[in-house]
Amino acid sequence: QVRLVESGGGLVQAGGSLRLSCAASGRTFSNYGMGWFRQAPGKEREFVATIDWSGVIIYYGDSVKGRFTISRDNAKNTVYLQMNSLKPEDTALYYCARRSYSGANSRPDEYDYWGQGTQVTVSS
C-alpha cells in the first residue's frame, strides 16, 4: 500500500522560503516519477513541479519557474519542494503525488497516489 505524507507547510511572509517534504511508503519509491501540485480555494488543481525516477528529468509550472526547486532522495523515500521568493498567490494546499511510471509528468490524471496535502499561506 502506498502512502504519501506531506509536511513543511505553514505561514510565511512574502519573499520568504519554505521547504516541503513528502515521505512515501513502500520499497520501490525510486522506480516512480513524483510530482507536486497545488490547489487554492475556488481554483482548479495546478501543476507545480515533477521529477522522474532518477532525479534528472524535471519540469516546472510557469508560475514557479526560477523560484521553486524539486528534488528527491531515493534512499529516504522522500521528495522535496524548496520554495523561495514566495508570493501571496502561492497560497494553496500543496499535494505530493506518485505515478505508476518512472517518468516525470505535469498532468494530474497521470498520478495514481496522492497525499492529504500541506497548507502554505503567504502573507503580503
Side-chain angles (χ1 to χ4, degrees), residues 7-8 10 41 53 80 83 91 116 119 122:
S7 62
W53 70 277
Y80 304 97
M83 306 187 296
T91 295
Q116 293 299 305
Q119 178 67 38
V122 184

Side-chain angles (χ1 to χ4, degrees), residues 5-76:
V5 179
E6 302 97 335
S7 62
L11 174 63
V12 64
Q13 288 188 333
S17 298
L18 283 174
R19 188 194 195 203
L20 305 185
S21 299
C22 172
S25 64
R27 294 181 296 174
T28 56
F29 171 81
S30 60
N31 290 355
Y32 303 109
M34 300 292 295
W36 286 96
F37 296 81
R38 66 187 184 186
Q39 189 165 18
K43 295 188 177 181
E44 293 187 353
R45 191 164 294 190
E46 178 188 8
F47 165 67
V48 175
T50 181
I51 187 168
D52 78 331
W53 70 277
S54 69
V56 173
I57 307 298
I58 290 173
Y59 303 114
Y60 294 99
D62 289 341
S63 61
V64 307
K65 280 180 184 175
R67 301 188 297 122
F68 290 11
T69 302
I70 188 172
S71 62
R72 67 188 296 161
D73 185 337
N74 287 340
K76 294 182 178 180

